[in-house]
Amino acid sequence: MNVNIDIKNTKSITSPEGNHVFAEGVILRKVSRFVTGTSEDGVIPVPCFYDVVTGKVLTELLPKELRAEFEGDSTGYSMD
């Protein structure tokens, strides 16, 4: 889907500390071989974004099922 969005009509995302720069990381989830039906356990990569200064994950951008797990080590964000 190709959507034309004017960057002037967007809002900045910042961390609670006021940081504006984020990097993309990957959270790895292990899946039992009994669930995958294979001879070995599997790994599922879950993309995430984190504040490059603090290293805290932006929990609001994680799948809902993982947010509680990362709340203590993570940060919220605000849209200015």
Side-chain angles (χ1 to χ4, degrees):
M1 182 159 84
N2 189 8
V3 179
N4 292 325
I5 297 174
D6 185 349
I7 198 73
K8 294 178 206 168
N9 294 328
T10 63
K11 295 182 179 184
S12 176
I13 295 177
T14 59
S15 70
E17 295 82 11
N19 301 323
H20 296 275
V21 179
F22 303 95
E24 187 173 5
V26 178
I27 296 168
L28 298 175
R29 305 290 296 184
K30 187 175 181 180
V31 183
S32 168
R33 67 179 186 252
F34 301 111
V35 173
T36 63
T38 60
S39 61
E40 296 181 8
D41 291 341
V43 175
I44 298 174
V46 179
C48 67
F49 289 95
Y50 64 93
D51 182 329
V52 297
V53 175
T54 65
K56 294 179 180 178
V57 175
L58 296 170
T59 54
E60 288 83 358
L61 301 178
L62 289 175
K64 291 179 183 179
E65 300 83 4
L66 296 180
R67 291 178 187 171
E69 184 176 334
F70 288 90
E71 283 191 7
D73 300 328
S74 304
T75 185
Y77 65 88
S78 65
M79 297 180 75
D80 295 334

